[in-house]
Structure formats: structure tokens, C-alpha cells
Amino acid sequence: MPLVPFESLPADARLWVFGARAPLDEVDAPRMLAAVDSFLFSWTAHGTPLTCARDFRDEHFLAVAVDERASNASGCSIDGLFHILQEIEGGIGTAMLAGGTIFFRGPDGLVLSCSRAEFEHMAAMGEIDGATRVFDTTLTSVGDYRAKFEVPAAESWHGRLMKR
């Protein structure tokens, strides 16, 4: 079976992280995950099933990964993943594929999102700093996702957006 538990994937598995601008509630999260699982269960590249998994956390983040030791994800197969997420966006009422969004934890522990310009402005105003927890949606391997998906801004590329 190509769909496996996320925890079983090796550290070098290829990864895509998608962040929902608004949190997904108890209605939209299961709908989104059901559609993604249905796609992943039959995900293939050139007719070969892909060993893949997904993780969903903090009401915002969908991580999809492929163990490319058995078969590489092709451009067309990756396009299929993006297409299914594009279809889901309309049904859940929030963007999952919009680039340029920064995700971080607010003082209350909730995940917040903003543009890069807004993030830089918040840093300049002292509303966030190097200790602010940020989420790196640019990671490309499961090992990196496990180790450094949520880190202080000073330990991530986000720190470069903060004026020193």
C-alpha cells in the first residue's frame, strides 16, 4: 500500500509543506484530509505507486512526503498534488498554495500568518523578535521537517527579515 504512516518515512523523503492562511476547523480539516488521503492512496508517477504520507498539525499545516527510494515523484505527479489542493481551497475557504506567507506563534500560542512585509514591520515595531517561534514551510525533507519546522526566528531564514 503506497499510503503509509508519516512517522515511517525516512529522513531523506521528499517533502512539501502547505500552510493554510486561516486555521481549519473541525469541519474543514477532516474534509481536506479526506480529499488529500484519497489522492495519496492512488498517487502514482508514470504508473508506479508512490510510497507517501501526510501530516497535519496546528490547524494550519499539511505536510506531504514521498519516499523516493522506491520511485521518484515526477513533475506530472507533483502537479496532481497541487491540483487537488487547489480544488480543496474553494471548499475550505482559505488559501493553501499562496506563497509569501509567514507563519509564526503569537504570544497566546496560536499560529498567526502575515505577509513578509507585515512580518518585517512587526519586527521593526518590536512586536516579534528572534525568540518568536516561526514555521519553515520551505523545508524539503522529512528529516528537516522533524528537526526544524518550528524554531525561534533567530535560528531560521526568518531572522534575516528582522532589522538588527
Side-chain angles (χ1 to χ4, degrees):
M1 169 154 64
L3 186 57
V4 299
F6 194 87
E7 302 77 33
S8 71
L9 290 175
D12 64 349
R14 188 171 177 188
L15 176 80
W16 296 267
V17 180
F18 306 96
R21 286 193 175 166
L24 299 182
D25 63 20
E26 62 278 352
V27 173
D28 289 333
R31 287 179 38 211
M32 183 267 300
L33 293 173
V36 168
D37 287 349
S38 178
F39 174 80
L40 295 180
F41 187 73
S42 60
W43 199 12
T44 63
H46 303 293
T48 302
L50 296 174
T51 301
C52 57
R54 59 95 176 145
D55 183 43
F56 183 67
R57 63 169 70 171
D58 292 304
E59 300 175 326
H60 285 268
F61 304 107
L62 172 68
V64 175
V66 174
D67 181 355
E68 292 191 310
R69 293 176 188 190
S71 180
N72 290 338
S74 66
C76 290
S77 65
I78 296 165
D79 286 347
L81 171 63
F82 279 76
H83 179 72
I84 197 73
L85 290 173
Q86 189 174 37
E87 287 179 6
I88 292 168
E89 283 182 333
I92 60 175
T94 189
M96 300 271 314
L97 299 174
T101 303
I102 303 288
F103 295 93
F104 62 98
R105 269 200 206 281
D108 58 3
L110 295 177
V111 175
L112 304 173
S113 65
C114 65
S115 70
R116 286 177 185 240
E118 290 168 324
F119 189 82
E120 289 173 333
H121 177 74
M122 291 171 68
M125 298 302 293
E127 297 171 15
I128 57 174
D129 59 25
T132 300
R133 307 285 296 178
V134 296
F135 299 89
D136 190 348
T137 59
T138 68
L139 300 174
T140 59
S141 75
V142 168
D144 284 345
Y145 177 74
R146 290 174 180 146
K148 54 187 179 180
F149 177 58
E150 181 181 356
V151 296
E155 296 176 20
S156 174
W157 62 265
H158 299 80
R160 293 191 303 266
L161 300 176
M162 300 178 166
K163 305 281 189 243
R164 305 212 186 245

